[in-house]
Amino acid sequence: MALSALKTFVAGEVLTASDLNAMNTHILTNPMILISPLTGNLAAGGNDIIDIDELQLSDAAANPTASGRLRRNGNALVWAVEDARTATVATALVLQSVATAAPADNIGAGLRLRAESSTDNPLQLAEIAGRLDSVTAGAETSSLAFTTLFGASGLTTHTTVTADGGLAFNISPAGSPPANSLHVRAIVDVWGTVSITPTLEDSFNITSVADAGVGLVTITFNTDFPDATNYAMVASGDQAAVAIGFDTFAAGSVRVMIRDLSDVAGDQRFRFIGIGAQ
Amino acid sequence: MALGAAKTFVPGEILLAADLNTLNTNILNNALTLISPLLADLDANGFDLTGLDELAFTDSTANPTGTGRLRRNGLVLAWAVEDARTNTVARALILQATTTGVPAAGIGTGLLFRMESADEDPADAAEIQCVASDVTAGSEDTEFRVFTRTGGAAPTENVTFRGDGGIFFARADPATPAAGRLYRGNFVRAWGNVSITPTLNDSYNITSVADAGVGLVTITFATDFTNATYAAVGAISQGSAVVGFDNFAAGTVRATLSDNAAVLTDFSFTFMAIGDQ
């Protein structure tokens, strides 16, 4: 009993109005002391608890005891649920951030991670955000972006899983790239297999190949490079003794030169790969 | 005082049973009015709050005031903890979804992001799923799958970060790829550095290289291509000589090496291949 009795009556005592009033008022004006700290579980009975300032969880250092419970395990806030599935994924946490205004393209919801630096407490460390690239009814398209701190740029979108099945790299690091890291400039931007005709038999990001003369083929890119000097092309022929070079570099096209080893132009099947600063 | 007194007695008043009962009943029947709204912090003292429908937070527009506390900062629900670490990662949030069944490959736990579209409120937009691709005791493998939407359909698997260190692209390449994006179709699938012997000095996704005659080397892939129209390019580690490729098959390709007189000759060479797998 957290709230003590204001008065304990004794046998034969004359009951006065003031005692009764005081006893009643004592309870009515001290409800928090009456119930807090709890001496047992408090069942909300399916009702809400509203207008909370903070919810402080004790450190249980153990899993929640049942499905649908939150518990603190050391530093971790654990939300635990249990169902009967065996080989499917349960969505355990939903971050929902809707709008009172009319939603427009790029509306999103994020999960922010904070830590602490030598100067910032808290430090905005990183974020994972889902974004609707298109909010058009029946044609919604979404992406998921990973945002990290990048020097003076602060929080910057690092990589985005895009709806078209791609992984967009939003940062191009200066200087030496770290080992075993994939960056935007290391991605193959174009490739193709071209018959002697020339006909494009297989490719990525190529609009067309066109005969530009004997031993000459113009390759036109689907998505262009920024300019004529920021990409590299390599190729091999279909047989020995075929030398292949490239010239007439432009943002949207490049020309293939096919020669034999006596420097005589001639049409041949070839395959190529291009990489640059798209 | 949230709950008013049912009766205030006056001196000399005759105490009636009805008055006492009313006084008592007023408190017994109005427990919530008695305590709600709270007048001070409620100390749960290590006990649980159960049977909750919703928890509604006021907007404090400030960080939680201590470790182990949840607070609402505007639209943000902030879970704040503090420890003494200096350069390690604290696991601040755990999503745990266990099963009463027998777990099998494919079981997982997801984090869903919702917002609002022109006609959906809320709209499921994207999800990160952690999936166990192998639940075998002692050899569990897990992966992160990113689900996004396209064309109004529900979120589907898009890109997966696999436990073996790879990134899997679940969707076919777009007709017009955007600049600077990595898709299923634009990364190298095999490469190798081959000595004159021929011996594979180093490689990726190559099972073997085999002598197929003077100036001819058959390259066998570990994971095959889906067709024979992939691209292979290479170079010989000597000037005035060239390498070509023929006999394209899903699982093999042949390198043809010639000197500057177009005579098939053994050379060391390097190569790479790209295409559909």
Side-chain angles (χ1 to χ4, degrees), chain A residues 176-183:
Chain A
S176 303
N180 300 320
S181 293
L182 180 64
H183 291 101

Side-chain angles (χ1 to χ4, degrees), chain A residues 15 17 20-21 24 27-29 31-32 34-58 63 69 72 75-99 103 107-111 114-115 122 128 130-132 135 137-144 161-169 182 184 187-188 191-193 201-202 204-205 222-223 234-243 261 271-273 278, chain B residues 1 3 5 8-10 15 23 27 34-35 38-45 47-58 60 63-65 68-71 79 81 83 91-100 102-122 125-129 131 146 148-152 158-159 169 171 173-177 179-183 185-186 229-234 242-246 248 256 258-260 262 264 272 274-276:
Chain A
L15 197 58
L20 276 175
N21 291 337
N24 196 31
I27 295 173
L28 295 173
T29 56
M32 294 308 303
L34 182 65
I35 65 167
S36 180
L38 298 179
T39 54
N41 294 340
L42 176 63
N47 294 299
D48 303 342
I49 295 182
I50 63 172
D51 203 25
I52 294 172
D53 183 23
E54 292 189 68
L55 192 62
Q56 181 188 25
L57 303 181
S58 61
N63 276 328
R69 292 190 175 209
R72 175 185 169 191
N75 282 332
L77 180 67
V78 182
W79 168 243
V81 289
E82 184 177 54
D83 59 14
R85 77 195 187 287
T86 59
T88 55
V89 175
T91 299
L93 180 64
V94 176
L95 301 181
Q96 173 177 314
S97 181
V98 294
I107 192 172
L111 172 64
R114 291 177 179 160
I128 302 171
R131 185 173 294 122
L132 276 176
V135 297
E140 290 87 349
T141 299
S142 66
S143 58
L144 192 120
V161 176
T162 55
D164 63 1
L167 192 61
F169 294 77
L182 180 64
V184 63
I187 299 171
V188 170
W191 65 265
T193 296
E201 296 183 331
D202 203 353
F204 177 84
N205 194 28
N222 196 347
T223 297
V234 295
S236 286
D238 192 44
Q239 55 186 265
V242 173
L261 297 187
R271 295 167 181 84
F272 64 92
I273 296 174
Q278 278 198 340
Chain B
M1 186 165 62
L3 180 64
T8 300
F9 295 95
V10 296
L15 191 60
L23 203 71
I27 294 174
L34 181 66
I35 65 168
L38 298 180
L39 303 172
D41 293 341
L42 173 64
D43 182 357
N45 198 27
F47 288 97
D48 301 340
L49 298 177
T50 65
L52 280 173
D53 186 20
E54 294 187 63
L55 284 175
F57 287 82
T58 58
S60 299
N63 276 328
T65 58
R69 292 189 174 215
L70 269 178
R71 202 172 213 181
W79 164 245
V81 288
D83 59 16
R91 191 175 295 117
L93 178 65
I94 294 175
L95 302 182
Q96 173 181 314
T98 54
T99 179
T100 57
V102 179
I107 194 168
T109 303
L111 169 64
L112 176 64
F113 295 83
R114 278 184 183 157
M115 51 221 69
E116 190 172 342
S117 74
D119 65 331
E120 299 174 28
D121 182 12
E127 183 166 355
I128 299 174
Q129 296 185 350
V131 180
V146 176
T148 62
R149 300 180 66 166
T150 184
N158 188 345
V159 174
F169 292 82
R171 296 183 181 173
D173 295 332
T176 301
R181 285 186 190 174
L182 182 65
Y183 294 97
N186 63 328
T229 56
Y230 54 92
V233 298
V242 293
V243 57
F245 294 89
D246 65 1
F248 278 75
T256 60
S258 62
D259 65 12
N260 58 0
L264 286 173
M272 62 184 74
I274 188 169
D276 299 331

Side-chain angles (χ1 to χ4, degrees), chain A residues 192-255:
Chain A
T193 296
V194 183
S195 73
I196 195 170
T197 318
T199 301
L200 197 58
E201 296 183 331
D202 203 353
S203 67
F204 177 84
N205 194 28
I206 303 297
T207 300
S208 63
V209 290
D211 190 349
V214 176
L216 297 173
V217 177
T218 298
I219 299 170
T220 301
F221 308 128
N222 196 347
T223 297
D224 293 356
F225 289 92
D227 59 49
T229 60
N230 61 3
Y231 63 97
M233 301 293 296
V234 295
S236 286
D238 192 44
Q239 55 186 265
V242 173
I244 297 176
F246 293 88
D247 70 354
T248 320
F249 279 74
S253 64
V254 68
R255 192 174 70 168

